[in-house]
């Protein structure tokens, strides 16, 4: 499973951080999404998928391998 | 998708099905067609969205604008004086909720860093203290007291005043202005006039922040040279209004809902770790900022229907959040359900900027209130609680409560 985040479309709502805090964070300046640990994406697959669905700006893309 | 349903003429704001459920008309619309035609009260032939999935599609679609200056944006609910609206409403600088990208992106981008999950966690401790102080004051009063006046309004007001750098002494003034500008009974012109007055107040404040900046959000913005004074005024008004009115009503209506569902309340008291999920569920269930509207900037397809350019599309977030296609037994308050995916904060690029602050305030507010007042009860019959069906943000006007013991 691959995860990518489009920081240009992110509106900083933080749903991703709430849903999968091990995977996502927001930067301090603009509050935009940062992928913290790509290593745990597979372990947290369900939460990551949920975060992608919940993201109001459709900034997260999950590609299933 | 072709079930016939009568084309309604506007949405009622009164609730015919208990204080917490969508009006039966909205519910019927959703069952028949989650996207349906509607004649707006001013005669405009537009559309109404009541289903959860279509709501998400609509709000995430950039071909729908939230601007009010492109054309007349028709309101799906009856508003006094709206028949006189013949002109689009000019854009107010800084009011980025009524803007599209790139203006929206630029202004919201200046603020998102302040409202991150992490920043709000840092603020949490402070907000808990603020709640405790307010509860101490509440505990000193002799019941019955109005919980709105003594608790649910002060808490978010104090928090947003501090964050923005607005003097708390000014609260009576700006709170009355906010509430008048959101009063659906007042003619549109009068509401716009009140909004002008509150812009004047904010512009005095912005001037002070430019000359003597302090340690607050408005001052931080005032130090930038890529934002005009007018924009700062709009941003300030927007955050101040949204920051106290919404959370105050969530806390008050949420308390009312819990008191009306004693088994849920008992479960939450006994299991405080349920609080986070309970807050999400209360937001879903209550959806206090209910009605939204968008403008179709081109001919487009949505959920199999063709929507013509220039149409207004209303959306009921409450109906969407009570959609059985998304939530089982949606009209039941169930603090143990997974309510994530609700659209109480909206969806798309305008999804509430302050949602993480709101969550922190609600968690602290409900937690403190339930702990300190174990015997909290309504002081009047539930039917006599005055519902805010006449206001843009739903809730209760007053919540008279009583108790016989106070805990620490
Ligand atoms: S949920 Fe989407 S919009 Fe919100 S911070 Fe995460 S990526 Fe950005």
């Amino acid at each position: 499973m691959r995860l990518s985040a489009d920081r240009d479309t992110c509106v900083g709502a933080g749903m991703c951080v709430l849903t999968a805090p091990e995977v996502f964070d927001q930067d301090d300046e603009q509050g935009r999404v940062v992928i913290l640990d790509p290593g745990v994406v597979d372990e947290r697959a369900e939460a990551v998928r949920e975060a992608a669905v919940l993201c109001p700006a459709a900034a997260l893309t999950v590609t299933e391998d | 998708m072709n079930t016939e349903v009568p084309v309604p003429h506007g949405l009622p704001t009164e609730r015919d099905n208990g204080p917490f459920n969508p009006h039966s008309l909205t519910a019927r619309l959703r069952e028949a067609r989650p996207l349906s035609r509607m004649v707006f009260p001013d005669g405009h032939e537009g559309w109404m969205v009541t289903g959860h999935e279509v709501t998400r599609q609509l709000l995430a679609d950039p071909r729908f604008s939230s601007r009010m200056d492109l054309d007349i944006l028709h309101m799906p609910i009856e508003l006094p004086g709206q028949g006189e609206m013949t002109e689009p409403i000019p854009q107010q600088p800084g009011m980025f909720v009524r803007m599209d990208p790139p203006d929206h992106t630029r202004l919201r981008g200046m603020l998102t860093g302040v409202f991150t999950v992490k920043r709000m966690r840092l603020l949490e401790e402070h907000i808990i203290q603020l709640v405790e102080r307010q509860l101490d004051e509440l505990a000193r009063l002799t019941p019955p007291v109005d919980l709105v006046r003594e608790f649910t309004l002060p808490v978010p007001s104090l928090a947003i005043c501090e964050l923005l750098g607005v003097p708390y002494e000014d609260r009576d003034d700006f709170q009355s202005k906010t509430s008048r500008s959101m009063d659906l009974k007042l003619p549109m012109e009068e509401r716009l006039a009140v909004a002008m007055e509150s812009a004047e107040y904010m512009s005095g404040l912005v001037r002070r922040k430019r000359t003597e900046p302090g340690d607050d959000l408005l001052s931080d913005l005032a130090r930038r040279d890529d934002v005009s004074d007018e924009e700062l005024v709009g941003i300030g008004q927007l955050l101040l209004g949204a920051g106290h009115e919404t959370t105050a009503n969530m806390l008050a209506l949420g308390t009312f809902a819990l008191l009306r569902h004693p088994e849920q309340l008992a479960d939450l008291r006994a299991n405080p770790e349920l609080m986070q999920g309970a807050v999400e569920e209360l937001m879903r269930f209550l959806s206090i900022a209910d009605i939204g509207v968008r403008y179709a900037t081109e001919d487009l397809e949505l959920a199999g229907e063709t929507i013509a350019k220039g149409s207004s599309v209303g959306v009921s977030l409450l109906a969407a959040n009570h959609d059985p296609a998304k939530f089982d037994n949606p009209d039941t308050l169930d603090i143990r359900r997974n309510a994530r995916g609700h659209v109480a904060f909206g969806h798309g690029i305008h999804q509430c900027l302050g949602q993480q602050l709101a969550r922190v305030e609600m968690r602290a507010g409900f937690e403190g209130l339930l702990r300190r007042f174990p015997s909290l009860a309504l002081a009047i019959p539930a039917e006599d609680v005055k519902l805010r069906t006449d206001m843009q943000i739903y809730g209760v006007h007053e919540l008279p409560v009583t108790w016989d013991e106070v805990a620490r």
Side-chain angles (χ1 to χ4, degrees):
Chain A
M1 174 173 164
R2 270 167 304 143
L3 168 67
S4 65
D6 182 346
R7 289 173 44 85
D8 291 332
T9 43
C10 168
V11 290
M15 285 308 300
C16 53
V17 186
L18 277 192
T19 314
E22 308 82 2
V23 183
F24 301 102
D25 197 2
Q26 291 164 280
D27 71 60
D28 288 332
E29 293 71 42
Q30 292 187 303
R32 293 190 190 206
V33 60
V34 181
I35 296 179
L36 271 184
D37 188 352
V40 302
V41 167
D42 281 315
E43 281 165 45
R44 309 266 174 226
E46 203 178 319
V48 168
R49 273 185 218 113
E50 188 181 7
V53 171
L54 291 178
C55 171
L60 304 175
T61 313
V62 171
T63 328
E64 308 286 344
D65 295 320
Chain B
M1 269 289 209
N2 271 325
T3 326
E4 280 310 317
V5 64
V7 177
H9 286 244
L11 285 185
T13 58
E14 295 299 325
R15 303 227 173 172
D16 66 342
N17 199 9
F20 308 119
N21 288 327
H23 191 278
S24 54
L25 173 68
T26 333
R28 250 184 297 133
L29 274 185
R30 187 192 55 218
E31 269 153 47
R33 305 173 75 150
L35 168 65
S36 54
R37 299 229 54 142
M38 189 170 83
V39 178
F40 287 50
D42 65 356
H44 173 72
E45 291 181 23
W47 296 85
M48 189 68 209
V49 172
T50 45
H52 184 270
E53 187 47 40
V54 192
T55 294
R56 281 174 46 103
Q57 285 171 19
L58 169 83
L59 295 178
D61 191 330
R63 296 170 301 174
F64 287 105
S65 171
S66 66
R67 286 171 64 169
M68 298 178 92
D69 61 328
L70 289 174
D71 200 343
I72 298 171
L73 196 59
H74 305 271
M75 291 305 288
I77 52 177
E78 187 81 56
L79 297 173
Q82 73 172 355
E84 297 143 32
M85 279 242 306
T86 50
E87 301 275 315
I89 298 177
Q91 199 162 68
Q92 185 187 346
M95 282 284 171
F96 56 88
V97 284
R98 288 289 168 207
M99 292 178 189
D100 298 335
D103 303 320
H104 168 268
T105 321
R106 179 178 71 88
L107 291 168
R108 180 167 168 138
M110 290 180 188
L111 299 166
T112 38
V114 180
F115 290 96
T116 58
V117 174
K118 203 177 358 177
R119 291 273 175 97
M120 291 305 134
R121 293 228 168 95
L122 295 176
L123 245 180
E124 185 151 15
E125 205 39 54
H126 181 69
I127 289 182
I128 291 173
Q129 285 168 15
L130 185 155
V131 165
E132 290 301 322
R133 278 203 303 275
Q134 207 56 40
L135 288 168
D136 288 339
E137 291 195 22
L138 187 60
R140 272 186 227 112
L141 302 174
T142 311
V145 302
D146 173 17
L147 198 69
V148 173
R149 197 191 139 83
E150 306 297 346
F151 182 67
T152 70
L153 193 52
V155 164
S157 297
L158 278 159
I160 196 70
C161 280
E162 263 185 37
L163 187 71
L164 285 181
V166 172
Y168 187 60
E169 309 82 77
D170 297 347
R171 69 185 176 283
D172 285 341
D173 189 51
F174 69 69
Q175 280 167 2
S176 90
K177 289 195 180 103
T178 309
S179 102
R180 276 188 294 149
S181 74
M182 294 193 180
D183 189 336
L184 303 176
K185 296 183 300 303
L186 296 179
M188 195 50 129
E189 275 170 35
E190 195 171 330
R191 294 168 62 198
L192 291 175
V194 179
M196 289 286 288
E197 279 173 41
S198 72
E200 266 163 51
Y201 166 74
M202 193 50 76
S203 98
L205 198 61
V206 161
R207 251 176 282 134
R208 292 213 295 284
K209 301 287 177 191
R210 287 273 201 211
T211 47
E212 309 159 44
D215 186 16
D216 55 65
L217 176 55
L218 278 179
S219 297
D220 289 347
L221 291 171
R223 287 193 189 88
R224 302 174 68 127
D225 48 21
D226 57 349
V227 51
S228 69
D229 283 6
E230 292 72 33
E231 285 174 332
L232 275 180
V233 170
I235 293 174
Q237 269 184 280
L238 184 59
L239 298 190
L240 183 58
H244 71 269
E245 190 81 1
T246 46
T247 313
N249 282 298
M250 261 312 298
L251 284 171
L253 190 67
T255 305
F256 183 40
L258 287 171
L259 291 173
R260 296 294 286 148
H261 294 83
E263 60 321 314
Q264 296 284 311
L265 179 58
D267 193 13
L268 184 55
R269 280 191 202 277
N271 304 287
E273 75 283 359
L274 296 177
M275 184 55 79
Q276 188 163 340
V279 164
E280 292 304 318
E281 168 65 353
L282 284 167
M283 284 190 292
R284 176 197 75 81
F285 186 64
L286 301 172
S287 309
I288 53 156
D290 178 23
I291 298 292
V293 60
R294 290 290 187 271
Y295 175 82
T297 58
E298 53 185 87
D299 290 344
L300 51 84
E301 291 260 311
L302 179 69
E305 305 279 7
T306 306
I307 295 185
K309 176 180 174 177
S311 303
S312 288
V313 184
V315 48
S316 166
L317 298 179
L318 176 66
N321 278 336
H322 283 238
D323 186 345
K326 171 70 185 172
F327 301 104
D328 293 338
N329 299 319
D331 293 343
T332 304
L333 177 70
D334 175 6
I335 59 163
R336 286 178 178 267
R337 84 162 78 227
N338 176 6
R340 272 189 297 199
H342 69 72
V343 285
F345 286 123
H347 189 65
I349 61 167
H350 293 287
Q351 195 186 60
C352 178
L353 170 71
Q355 58 180 287
Q356 307 306 347
L357 174 61
R359 285 188 170 98
V360 168
E361 289 177 5
M362 279 185 269
R363 281 204 296 271
F366 287 123
E367 192 280 322
L369 185 66
L370 300 188
R371 175 171 39 80
R372 299 284 301 273
F373 297 87
S375 58
L376 192 73
L378 282 180
I380 59 172
E383 305 73 54
D384 294 347
V385 171
K386 276 199 276 150
L387 302 169
R388 291 172 44 118
T389 49
D390 52 351
M391 303 294 282
Q392 210 161 318
I393 309 283
Y394 185 59
V396 293
H397 283 288
E398 287 169 5
L399 194 67
V401 292
T402 183
W403 59 83
D404 52 23
E405 52 174 324
V406 177
R408 267 265 25 121

